Amino acid sequence: MIPSAVNEVITTGVGHIGCVSSNLKPFHADTLGIVCDPEIDEVICFINKSSSKAFLDHLVVGSRTSLFAAVITHESYNLKGKVTHLRDVSADELAVCDNLREGMYALYNELGIPEELAARYWNRTPDIAIVISVDTIFSQTPGPNAGKQL
Amino acid sequence: MNKSEAFELRSQLDRRNKEIEIIETVASQINKTLDLDAIAKTMLISMDNYFDFKHSMILLLDQSEGVLKVIATHGYENDGIGAEVAIGVGVIGVVAKKKKLMRMANIGSQRRYMESIKRQIESNDKVESDKDINLPGLPNTESQVAIPMLVEDELIGVFAVESDQINIFDKSDEMIIRILANQTASALQNAKLYNLEQQRLKELDKAHAELAELNSNLEKKVSDRTEELVQLSTKLAKYFSPQVYDSIFSGKLDVKIQTKRKSLTVFFCDLQGFTQLTERLEPEILTELLTEYLTEMSKIAIKWGGTIDKFIGDAILVFFGDPETKGKKEDALACVSMALEMLEKLEELRGTWLEKGFTKSLKARMGIHSGFCTVGNFGSEDRLDYTVIGNGVNLASRLEGSADPNKILISEDTYLLVKDEVKCLKNKEISVKGLSYPIQSYEVSGFSSNSSLYSSKLMKSIPGLSLQFDPDEIEDNERAMKLISEVLSRLV
Amino acid sequence: MIEDQHLPALEGMFPSWITTSSNGGEPNTTVISQIWFVSETEVALSFQFFNKTKKNISQNPYAFATIVNPASFDMYNLELEYNRTENDGDLFDEMDMKLEAIASMSGMSGIFELKGADIYNVLSINKIN
């Protein structure tokens, strides 16, 4: 059961997903959108292939992953799990990503970052979906509770 | 190298040259003056004019208080002069502490990050951590460059520029600030030292003036004090026998509990029947009588060098041999001579008192003993009595008590010392408490005719008859004898 | 390796993210406020508390980081290998001063203690956007 606070952060914040190669080298990529099925502890991340080459080269079904997500207030979580499968992004899921992108542009705008710059990160097309089964969640909000398992 | 690269290089060079020119101009302006405030202000204004640093301040280290104080600002609503920054607090405080330049580009976001952690700590521990520190400068500052101003590695202050725009300062800004800050540091240090010197000169003058006044006051104080002391010692003198007084004031006699055993001649004397008088006479008359008696007796004691120990009503205790001694024999002789003269004086006094209408005849009894006694300061720490005690004193007192009226009774010890000069008659044996054997006493009748003290003079008076006889003065023996015969014939 | 265009991304103007791995192949991805420039071939991370990243590095020295140039939003991936930790020197002082300046402004002096500057060799650097 993924707590609602975690759900909120992963679906509205910035995310980065990491994996480890067979020869123990770490890699990561940026998520451009996340959907969550809290009941079954499932999380699906959408990433852009061309800017995530190093990561994808070393990701297979069964790979252990670490998903870090944070919102502007610095509330953050780390979800550990493993890849159950990889597939294309559906139209609905694309819409989710569009939504997130718009939200991010608005947020960055408030912070004084113009859309052209924000677009260099957020205007990447999500073209692969990574389905993850989550087994442990840690709080990563900076402070005395960072690293605590939920 | 292609055309555009060359052009780029060229403009960079131009910029550098311009910057150097500006730095030189500003530096020379700063170094023209010794006025601290002028130096500071010039620098800040120049920074804005030439390099577009819109908000800046200079702080100087106050060494005595260990804080930085704002001495000049530029580009703020409130000039903030005098505001303080503690060492180690904020960008300026940390720069002062570490004596290293610091450049911050996004203070806002970093502070927000800190704040979120702070809130968590507060909610976790349910405590309130320290309030935000109030620092001088822009409230929404984002970019800041702060540089320590050092002279020979000693911190004299901090120079800081800031902006509410993120990441507005770059490496070349750092360099310019560094150069100008060093220039300003030297100039400020010189100005500060100059000011300090002026201050010190002022203080020195003040100190001189105060000293001169103190000196003149001191002289007056000393003379006032001396006057007080003279008055005091004059009063004190009345309470001490002169020898003791002199000894004390010359420092020879130390005023602390200190006694020694010495060979002394002790003299006791009292007036027979005096006690009954005190019950019958009026106090004024009694006082007059006693004063006259004691004064006359004291004069004689002093004349012969005795130390008047005390008066107890009409009784007198005098001793010879301390603080000064002329030798055992001489002391004893002086004491006996004193006693004889006292008897003579008493006879005179009886005459004057009779004329005043005082009919009761007062007779003296005297006792003298020579021997070891303990003499010195006796008493408590706060009240000392210079006196003599011991068996010798007791014996002198017993002798006095056993003497016949108007007679002097001396001990065998004294007799042995004075027998060459003084004629004595063997008298009774006296037993004294503390002595296992009785003491032989002798009654003094006068000086031996071969004694240097023997005086052929005679001065006697009784009611109705006064006799003054000095054989050396008589020119006509016959006439003298005729006078006496006349008196005799009338008496018979 | 590290060139002029990378430098603005190493000033802490925009966060960086880093992934490390345990000896058993378990990844840990996290965000940090700054990766510091040390030299053409070295970068540094400030070590304040002993966290998962530090624990992983003690088992497996490899790390993967992304830095962002705040002016252009150019993004770079760096492959890193832990080299050593410094407890004094210019870099340590720079980290320490920055930490202390911000902490003290919020009245939190002494709560954060810089334990060291962890120096990493840069194995590769690649632009990703």
Side-chain angles (χ1 to χ4, degrees):
Chain A
M1 185 69 193
I2 295 176
S4 60
V6 178
N7 194 348
E8 181 66 24
V9 168
I10 63 180
T11 53
T12 62
V14 173
H16 311 287
I17 178 160
C19 71
V20 181
S21 69
S22 49
N23 61 345
L24 296 182
K25 293 273 185 79
F27 297 93
H28 61 227
D30 309 319
T31 64
L32 299 163
I34 297 177
V35 302
C36 171
D37 190 344
E39 303 280 319
I40 56 170
D41 293 338
E42 186 180 86
V43 161
I44 310 170
C45 304
F46 311 110
I47 70 172
N48 168 264
K49 281 191 215 167
S50 67
S51 62
S52 313
K53 200 165 179 314
F55 170 74
L56 287 168
D57 279 351
H58 298 102
L59 192 77
V60 295
V61 168
S63 284
R64 295 291 307 167
T65 55
S66 166
L67 170 64
F68 178 93
V71 287
I72 191 66
T73 62
H74 300 297
E75 190 183 352
S76 343
Y77 298 98
N78 207 318
L79 288 76
K80 309 276 192 200
K82 73 171 196 271
V83 179
T84 52
H85 66 280
L86 304 159
R87 55 166 173 77
D88 292 331
V89 182
S90 76
D92 287 343
E93 287 165 346
L94 273 177
V96 166
C97 293
D98 287 340
N99 221 16
L100 184 64
R101 182 186 311 119
E102 291 308 309
M104 282 302 166
Y105 284 159
L107 181 64
Y108 277 38
N109 197 31
E110 274 175 46
L111 296 175
I113 300 173
E115 203 178 291
E116 312 89 75
L117 282 185
R120 307 233 32 241
Y121 184 108
W122 292 102
N123 208 18
R124 297 178 278 176
T125 315
D127 44 20
I128 180 163
I130 308 168
V131 183
I132 296 162
S133 164
V134 176
D135 40 64
T136 1
I137 305 177
F138 294 90
S139 166
Q140 290 268 238
T141 311
N145 296 330
K148 233 199 213 161
Q149 186 176 334
L150 263 56
Chain B
M1 190 189 291
N2 62 29
K3 253 194 180 164
S4 70
E5 277 171 347
F7 182 76
E8 176 64 36
L9 225 58
R10 181 87 209 211
S11 15
Q12 270 188 28
L13 197 63
D14 283 343
R15 182 167 179 224
R16 281 282 176 272
N17 284 338
K18 189 90 194 128
E19 281 172 0
I20 289 168
E21 234 182 82
I22 292 169
I23 288 169
E24 280 175 354
T25 313
V26 175
S28 73
Q29 277 178 24
I30 289 170
N31 282 312
K32 273 196 193 133
T33 168
L34 275 173
D35 180 344
L36 215 75
D37 292 330
I39 291 169
K41 213 54 177 124
T42 304
M43 178 177 179
L44 298 183
I45 293 173
S46 307
M47 292 297 236
D48 192 358
N49 288 343
Y50 294 117
F51 302 109
D52 220 24
F53 296 140
K54 295 252 162 281
H55 313 276
S56 56
M57 65 175 84
I58 296 181
L59 302 93
L60 284 189
L61 176 67
D62 183 330
Q63 277 193 331
S64 57
E65 290 183 39
V67 286
L68 296 156
K69 290 194 178 156
V70 176
I71 63 152
T73 66
H74 174 76
Y76 298 95
E77 255 180 58
N78 202 346
D79 76 13
I81 308 276
E84 289 181 9
V85 175
I87 308 281
V89 177
V91 174
I92 291 171
V94 169
V95 161
K97 184 173 170 186
K98 292 287 178 115
K99 297 202 282 195
K100 275 185 172 182
L101 176 146
M102 197 158 136
R103 178 160 61 94
M104 297 281 267
N106 59 339
I107 293 173
S109 69
Q110 292 189 63
R111 289 191 70 179
R112 282 191 288 278
Y113 180 83
M114 241 350 133
E115 288 299 314
S116 76
I117 298 176
K118 187 176 176 183
R119 274 195 298 275
Q120 274 191 68
I121 293 175
E122 281 174 347
S123 73
N124 253 25
D125 301 341
K126 308 273 181 283
V127 295
E128 253 194 53
S129 41
D130 300 338
K131 297 266 172 280
D132 266 15
I133 312 293
N134 236 349
L135 292 167
L138 297 172
N140 51 343
T141 187
E142 286 286 351
S143 304
Q144 209 169 23
V145 178
I147 181 166
M149 294 194 288
L150 303 169
V151 172
E152 282 170 19
D153 206 41
E154 205 193 290
L155 181 80
I156 65 154
V158 174
F159 169 69
V161 310
E162 62 177 331
S163 167
D164 54 10
Q165 292 186 61
I166 297 175
N167 204 19
I168 199 80
F169 305 117
D170 62 21
K171 277 257 176 249
S172 67
D173 291 321
E174 253 185 56
M175 194 167 63
I176 292 164
I177 294 169
R178 208 189 277 272
I179 294 169
L180 283 171
N182 284 340
Q183 285 284 334
T184 314
S186 310
L188 282 174
Q189 183 69 341
N190 286 343
K192 187 171 151 187
L193 288 173
Y194 176 73
N195 281 348
L196 268 173
E197 194 56 40
Q198 295 298 100
Q199 176 79 348
R200 280 200 45 180
L201 283 170
K202 249 200 250 175
E203 280 170 10
L204 211 65
D205 283 340
K206 188 167 167 222
H208 273 227
E210 279 174 5
L211 202 67
E213 200 188 315
L214 190 70
N215 275 343
S216 67
N217 276 351
L218 213 63
E219 277 172 16
K220 174 145 198 322
K221 274 196 168 94
V222 168
S223 83
D224 283 350
R225 208 69 179 111
T226 308
E227 177 66 40
E228 271 174 44
L229 283 171
V230 167
Q231 282 178 18
L232 185 67
S233 63
T234 312
K235 286 183 198 169
L236 276 175
K238 297 202 194 298
Y239 288 85
F240 288 99
S241 81
Q243 301 91 326
V244 175
Y245 175 86
D246 283 340
S247 292
I248 292 173
F249 276 83
S250 71
K252 275 193 235 159
L253 197 64
D254 214 353
V255 189
K256 59 178 195 261
I257 295 178
Q258 204 178 62
T259 60
K260 49 193 179 302
R261 267 183 83 67
K262 257 179 142 180
S263 188
L264 303 178
T265 298
V266 183
F267 166 89
F268 260 99
C269 164
D270 80 355
L271 292 176
Q272 205 178 28
F274 186 80
T275 319
Q276 293 95 308
L277 271 182
T278 61
E279 284 151 22
R280 284 164 45 202
L281 278 183
E282 277 156 36
E284 294 85 3
I285 301 181
L286 187 67
T287 308
E288 203 192 310
L289 201 77
L290 194 60
T291 306
E292 199 177 352
Y293 166 68
L294 292 175
T295 305
E296 293 304 323
M297 297 299 112
S298 299
K299 278 189 200 162
I300 297 167
I302 290 166
K303 172 184 165 186
W304 288 100
T307 302
I308 303 172
D309 184 306
K310 57 173 65 66
F311 304 125
I312 307 172
D314 62 296
I316 302 173
L317 169 60
V318 179
F319 55 86
F320 290 76
D322 192 85
E324 277 150 20
T325 178
K326 292 198 171 77
K328 277 204 274 197
K329 210 170 171 178
E330 289 74 7
D331 288 342
L333 207 53
C335 187
V336 173
S337 308
M338 172 193 81
L340 285 168
E341 193 174 324
M342 279 179 172
L343 283 178
E344 270 185 35
K345 192 54 156 185
L346 187 56
E347 208 175 309
E348 247 184 71
L349 286 175
R350 278 197 282 268
T352 55
W353 291 338
L354 198 63
E355 278 164 28
K356 285 186 187 163
F358 183 64
T359 52
K360 179 75 183 180
S361 188
L362 290 169
K363 301 181 177 77
R365 293 178 305 185
M366 298 177 179
I368 301 177
H369 168 65
S370 304
F372 273 95
C373 307
T374 305
V375 65
N377 280 328
F378 288 91
S380 66
E381 292 280 344
D382 302 314
R383 190 181 173 333
L384 291 174
D385 208 5
Y386 193 85
T387 189
V388 62
I389 61 171
N391 285 329
V393 182
N394 295 340
L395 181 53
S397 168
R398 284 297 308 280
L399 287 162
E400 181 262 316
S402 307
D404 289 334
N406 288 335
K407 292 286 177 208
I408 305 164
L409 204 61
I410 65 177
S411 68
E412 182 150 48
D413 295 289
T414 306
Y415 170 71
L416 290 171
L417 291 171
V418 303
K419 64 186 178 35
D420 293 336
E421 307 270 329
V422 178
K423 268 203 310 212
C424 300
L425 287 168
K426 214 170 183 180
N427 208 286
K428 48 191 137 207
E429 277 189 353
I430 314 270
S431 24
V432 179
K433 194 166 77 180
L435 290 175
S436 48
Y437 48 89
I439 300 290
Q440 179 61 57
S441 72
Y442 296 77
E443 191 180 271
V444 174
S445 37
F447 288 110
S448 325
S449 47
N450 60 338
S451 162
S452 55
L453 295 158
Y454 178 76
S455 174
S456 50
K457 287 190 248 189
L458 198 65
M459 194 155 78
K460 295 244 181 226
S461 72
I462 56 166
L465 178 63
S466 271
L467 196 63
Q468 195 180 334
F469 174 59
D470 188 348
D472 299 323
E473 293 280 297
I474 295 185
E475 289 163 352
D476 191 348
N477 257 17
E478 293 254 340
R479 206 162 154 217
M481 290 205 299
K482 214 173 171 199
L483 205 62
I484 294 170
S485 304
E486 205 182 314
V487 172
L488 274 171
S489 66
R490 289 213 203 175
L491 281 173
V492 168
Chain C
M1 287 262 176
I2 297 181
E3 291 160 19
D4 281 350
Q5 70 268 26
H6 304 127
L7 296 181
L10 294 168
E11 296 196 340
M13 293 292 305
F14 198 85
S16 307
W17 41 106
I18 184 166
T19 302
T20 53
S21 163
S22 72
N23 241 351
E26 182 74 16
N28 187 66
T29 301
T30 190
V31 166
I32 52 178
S33 57
Q34 182 169 357
I35 295 181
W36 300 69
F37 171 77
V38 177
S39 69
E40 264 181 31
T41 56
E42 291 167 312
V43 294
L45 269 61
S46 74
F47 162 37
Q48 282 162 54
F49 5 81
F50 198 78
N51 52 16
K52 197 80 178 85
T53 301
K54 190 75 175 155
K55 186 170 180 192
N56 281 350
I57 290 296
S58 67
Q59 299 174 0
N60 178 351
Y62 295 106
F64 190 82
T66 304
I67 57 177
V68 180
N69 181 325
S72 62
F73 262 68
D74 286 337
M75 294 160 57
Y76 306 90
N77 282 344
L78 293 83
E79 284 180 282
L80 307 172
E81 184 183 359
Y82 171 75
N83 183 290
R84 67 187 186 279
T85 302
E86 285 177 359
N87 301 108
D88 49 35
D90 285 341
L91 175 66
F92 184 92
D93 278 351
E94 209 189 318
M95 286 181 177
D96 195 37
M97 282 172 79
K98 199 164 172 178
L99 190 63
E100 191 51 33
I102 296 293
S104 64
M105 279 157 118
S106 306
M108 303 235 283
S109 276
I111 293 183
F112 299 95
E113 194 203 323
L114 181 67
K115 291 189 171 61
D118 292 337
I119 316 283
Y120 292 76
N121 291 331
V122 178
L123 302 175
S124 71
I125 178 162
N126 290 302
K127 189 156 178 290
I128 56 171
N129 64 348

